[in-house]
Amino acid sequence: MLIYNTTFQVDDEVHDNFLIWIKESYIPEVQKHGTLKTPRICRILSHREDGSAYSLQWEVESSVLLHRWHLEQGVRLNDELTKIFKDKVIGFPTLMEIIE
């Protein structure tokens, strides 16, 4: 099992709208696809600069499935994020392997 994590840096002026969008639009849309499972969103408390930081984590079976999801849905959702929030929200992904 792998963890697909996206860390988001969110400007204060769009903070509330970002959380609404991520919870009410983004997560339900990703869940419809069925590849990424068990979403968890966490506020990052350390290393804060301006704004807020969040980690959105999903479980995924393999990097092959993650790549397919990215092509089929991820690119479009990232474009939507950019269209709505412009440079006020920046995200970067990390793929992690559970070793326990």
Side-chain angles (χ1 to χ4, degrees):
M1 186 66 63
L2 302 174
I3 301 292
Y4 177 59
N5 175 81
T6 304
T7 301
F8 295 98
Q9 182 65 38
V10 182
D11 279 11
D12 287 336
E13 67 184 76
V14 298
H15 175 266
D16 293 346
N17 287 337
F18 170 77
L19 283 180
I20 291 167
W21 180 80
I22 209 85
K23 292 176 184 177
E24 296 182 6
S25 181
Y26 185 88
I27 290 173
E29 191 65 26
V30 171
Q31 288 178 309
K32 286 180 191 174
H33 192 274
T35 299
L36 305 183
K37 301 181 185 313
T38 320
R40 177 173 46 211
I41 188 161
C42 307
R43 182 186 318 266
I44 298 173
L45 301 177
S46 60
H47 307 294
R48 283 196 54 198
E49 298 174 13
D50 292 340
S52 299
Y54 293 91
S55 167
L56 176 58
Q57 300 175 358
W58 299 88
E59 292 180 2
V60 62
E61 296 278 330
S62 70
S63 59
V64 171
L65 289 174
L66 178 61
H67 182 70
R68 183 182 320 145
W69 170 83
H70 182 73
L71 294 175
E72 292 175 358
Q73 188 182 46
V75 171
R76 179 178 55 78
L77 289 173
N78 190 57
D79 289 347
E80 185 177 325
L81 172 83
T82 303
K83 181 179 177 184
I84 294 170
F85 297 106
K86 313 241 183 302
D87 63 348
K88 303 294 182 190
V89 176
I90 299 170
F92 64 91
T94 307
L95 185 60
M96 300 177 284
E97 180 180 25
I98 299 171
I99 57 172
E100 283 187 12

